[in-house]
Amino acid sequence: MLIYLKPLIVNMAILFSFTFNANLMFPFHSRKKIKVKQQIIYGLISGFGAMLCMLYPIEDLGETFFDFRMIAILIVTLYSGWLAGGIALLFVCAVRYGFGGEFVFVGIFINAAAYAAGLLFRRIFLKSKVRLIAGAFITLLYFFFYIWIVSRFITFLRIDFYMIYFVFFFAVTMAVIAIIEALIRINRNLDNMIYLDKLTTIGQMAASIAHEIRNPITAVRGFIQFLQEDTTDQKLMEFSPLILSELDRTNKIITDYLKLAKPYEFSLARVKIDELMRDSVELLKPLATFENAEIKLELVPSNDVVGDAEHLMQAIMNVLKNSIESIEGGGRITVAKKPDYFNGKVIVTIADTGKGMTEEQLQNIGLPFYTTKTKGTGLGTMITSRLIHDMDGEIEYTSKINEGTVVTITLKAYTSLT
């Protein structure tokens, strides 16, 4: 038994180490699109890690090479796609062919089967709410094929080998998936912390200067209104409305900054999310009609949520208003809510068929003064993000240019134990 375990433990350490190193180079994210450069890097890292696994196979099994290289191929294909998985597969097959032996083509065929399994089930895996369970299902299906091939062509293997190797294989695969999912959560939390730190910085700056700016603006606005009442100056009469409009716009920016600066008086309690969403949609239907947009509401029965009703409604309406304004020449907005019972969450999605956003715009969404609209300050999105985060929720954006944008708001479900 020990002669089986020692190389497998070394293989496990190699896979764990390369998983952490890959995350250091390009941090793992669940929703960000993986660029070609990242796919190539992931493929090379996986291929090199798999090659190191091949240097420490189970010995005393003739010309066979039993190790965990297939795990590297399967995992990188599931998470990164065909390019990264293909690079790892080519790397591994070339090395295995170089090692030679009686069962070289059996080994190459098993490697290719891991790649095929990753490609075949990748879409299901990525859409799964609990990827560890999906990964277990995919690994077990691969096992059936793996064991069938091995039993047909390598007939001298004993039952104790099958028990130790495949049980350890399954455990390590699950451990790698669990590590990647944990790193994804950690990276998301780090991004949120950085974003909230930006909000705090803006708030501190706003608190120090907002009142000092607002006072002279109020005075200037009053004098303009006073002068335009009795003036005969045509230029002043012509441009005073524009001046007042710009002063009001400046005052609104300062007001938005103050909303970021001062702490909200939150009262976290049970919120009837269905009623709140219906009210939000009804309030904005006239604006949607004016923009020739149709709003469709889809509510799957679920628990209520924990939050502040007033601020949650403000956040949802801000997102919905942005969706309406993104539609040009007519379109549809789908507002949906569904439960996530496994994680104790309720998920609200607002999907539009608007102009969408590029990858660069998605990365900058929520930054101060960044907006894709011709008119706007960009602070509304920041305020929305802060409202959701202060309710222990999450907000994420996905978008494709000329296809639309999907905003996903995840809130804590209310239970009697909350």
Side-chain angles (χ1 to χ4, degrees):
M1 179 181 292
L2 189 60
I3 199 169
Y4 295 154
L5 287 178
K6 287 175 67 175
L8 297 183
I9 291 173
V10 173
N11 275 223
M12 177 183 68
I14 291 170
L15 292 175
F16 288 178
S17 174
F18 274 77
T19 300
F20 284 108
N21 284 319
N23 181 66
L24 287 175
M25 297 187 69
F26 291 105
F28 301 145
H29 289 279
S30 59
R31 293 185 178 273
K32 290 184 178 179
K33 185 179 180 181
I34 301 177
K35 298 179 180 179
V36 174
K37 179 181 178 181
Q38 291 176 259
Q39 293 182 39
I40 294 173
I41 295 296
Y42 287 152
L44 292 174
I45 291 174
S46 300
F48 188 63
M51 185 199 72
L52 291 182
C53 289
M54 295 172 69
L55 296 178
Y56 298 93
I58 296 177
E59 299 176 354
D60 295 335
L61 290 177
E63 295 183 345
T64 63
F65 284 82
F66 282 97
D67 47 63
F68 287 160
R69 64 186 182 273
M70 291 74 68
I71 296 177
I73 297 172
L74 178 63
I75 296 295
V76 76
T77 306
L78 286 174
Y79 277 100
S80 303
W82 68 271
L83 179 58
I87 292 172
L89 176 65
L90 291 175
F91 203 100
V92 167
C93 288
V95 174
R96 180 64 187 90
Y97 185 79
F99 284 172
E102 180 182 355
F103 304 105
V104 59
F105 290 107
V106 176
I108 290 175
F109 192 58
I110 291 173
N111 296 337
Y115 178 66
L119 286 181
L120 184 62
F121 295 104
R122 183 171 186 261
R123 186 182 296 270
I124 297 173
F125 177 77
L126 293 180
K127 289 185 176 181
S128 174
K129 293 181 180 179
V130 187
R131 289 181 179 174
L132 202 61
I133 296 176
F137 174 75
I138 295 167
T139 304
L140 289 174
L141 286 179
Y142 175 61
F143 270 10
F144 286 118
F145 182 79
Y146 192 174
I147 293 173
W148 179 73
I149 293 295
V150 169
S151 62
R152 279 181 61 88
F153 293 97
I154 308 176
T155 56
F156 56 82
L157 299 174
R158 299 183 307 182
I159 188 64
D160 60 335
F161 162 80
Y162 283 99
M163 293 294 295
I164 294 171
Y165 176 75
F166 284 103
V167 168
F168 216 86
F169 188 108
F170 180 81
V172 172
T173 305
M174 295 300 98
V176 173
I177 293 176
I179 289 171
I180 293 174
E181 291 300 309
L183 290 172
I184 289 173
R185 288 193 298 271
I186 291 170
N187 293 334
R188 183 168 60 244
N189 290 336
L190 287 173
D191 288 344
N192 289 338
M193 288 174 61
I194 293 171
Y195 181 72
L196 292 175
D197 185 61
K198 291 178 181 178
L199 293 185
T200 302
T201 302
I202 293 169
Q204 292 172 347
M205 179 179 65
S208 63
I209 67 173
H211 290 294
E212 297 299 325
I213 296 176
R214 174 174 279 177
N215 290 336
I217 286 177
T218 303
V220 171
R221 194 183 194 285
F223 279 117
I224 294 295
Q225 287 178 312
F226 175 75
L227 290 173
Q228 74 174 356
E229 289 180 358
D230 301 319
T231 186
T232 57
D233 190 313
Q234 293 298 319
K235 290 292 185 182
L236 180 58
M237 294 175 62
E238 179 182 354
F239 291 109
S240 58
L242 178 60
I243 295 171
L244 292 174
S245 174
E246 289 303 305
L247 288 173
D248 290 340
R249 181 171 175 270
T250 304
N251 193 51
K252 183 181 182 303
I253 294 173
I254 294 171
T255 301
D256 289 343
Y257 259 127
L258 287 173
K259 287 181 181 179
L260 289 171
K262 66 179 180 181
Y264 290 92
E265 295 180 359
F266 266 75
S267 177
L268 294 180
R270 181 176 185 174
V271 177
K272 295 185 179 298
I273 185 66
D274 289 7
E275 293 181 9
L276 186 144
M277 291 178 65
R278 288 192 187 98
D279 291 343
S280 300
V281 169
E282 288 300 321
L283 286 170
L284 287 176
K285 269 188 176 179
L287 177 62
T289 302
F290 180 77
E291 297 290 342
N292 197 24
E294 175 192 1
I295 302 180
K296 183 180 180 182
L297 184 62
E298 299 176 352
L299 299 177
V300 177
S302 69
N303 290 6
D304 294 329
V305 300
V306 177
D308 182 285
E310 180 183 348
H311 293 112
L312 180 56
M313 189 170 184
Q314 180 187 351
I316 291 176
M317 288 184 68
N318 281 350
V319 175
L320 191 53
K321 183 172 178 288
N322 287 337
S323 294
I324 293 171
E325 292 174 348
S326 73
I327 292 177
E328 299 175 348
R332 185 178 60 189
I333 300 168
T334 303
V335 183
K337 185 219 67 178
K338 61 181 180 180
D340 181 0
Y341 293 116
F342 187 85
N343 294 308
K345 305 286 186 180
V346 173
I347 300 173
V348 176
T349 57
I350 300 174
D352 63 65
T353 58
K355 58 185 178 182
M357 291 182 284
T358 63
E359 284 291 322
E360 181 182 358
Q361 289 173 330
L362 267 179
Q363 292 175 4
N364 292 324
I365 195 75
L367 294 180
F369 290 110
Y370 184 83
T371 178
T372 59
K373 296 183 286 188
T374 55
K375 292 184 179 181
T377 64
L379 294 176
T381 306
M382 293 190 71
I383 293 171
T384 300
S385 296
R386 176 166 178 173
L387 289 171
I388 297 300
H389 283 111
D390 286 349
M391 286 183 276
D392 294 326
E394 296 179 1
I395 182 168
E396 292 182 319
Y397 297 82
T398 56
S399 185
K400 289 185 179 181
I401 197 72
N402 297 325
E403 291 187 17
T405 301
V406 179
V407 182
T408 304
I409 300 173
T410 305
L411 301 165
K412 185 178 179 181
Y414 179 87
T415 63
S416 58
L417 300 176
T418 299

